[in-house]
Amino acid sequence: QVQLQESGPGLVKPSQTLSLTCTVSGGSNVHYWGWFRQPPGKGLEWMGAITTRGGSRYYSPTLESRTSISRDTSKNQFTLQLSSVTPEDTAVYYCAAFDWSRPIYWGQGTQVTVSS
């Protein structure tokens, strides 16, 4: 039984770093924590993930150069940082918890707009 909640600024300026935190309650049967995003009018895009136990990181090849995921197990939180953002990074961002193959729990999503 897992619940997730995204938090962070809803507005980020171009060239800055987008930073979001996901706070997690529960953790049974969860092997990865990860992030997705959905730009307006587009499909869901997987961004990256981190293993809950060892902290190994995996990133989408298209975003790897700008993406950093970290975790703080003492706080039951993990974070997303997306650097050098542009208006094309405007999206609803979701955190999720995975078993060994697929996301099984989702946050409600948070809107992030990149604009000056």
Side-chain angles (χ1 to χ4, degrees), residues 69-109:
I69 295 173
S70 60
R71 66 179 173 89
D72 186 340
T73 55
S74 69
K75 297 180 179 180
N76 227 29
Q77 293 180 330
F78 63 104
T79 63
L80 170 71
Q81 292 188 302
L82 183 67
S83 66
S84 303
V85 298
T86 72
E88 286 69 40
D89 294 310
T90 295
V92 177
Y93 286 75
Y94 299 89
C95 59
F98 297 68
D99 61 11
W100 287 110
S101 63
R102 66 192 187 279
I104 54 176
Y105 303 103
W106 293 83
Q108 66 182 9

Side-chain angles (χ1 to χ4, degrees), residues 20-32:
L20 296 173
T21 297
C22 186
T23 300
V24 182
S25 62
S28 179
N29 199 37
V30 173
H31 299 285
Y32 305 88

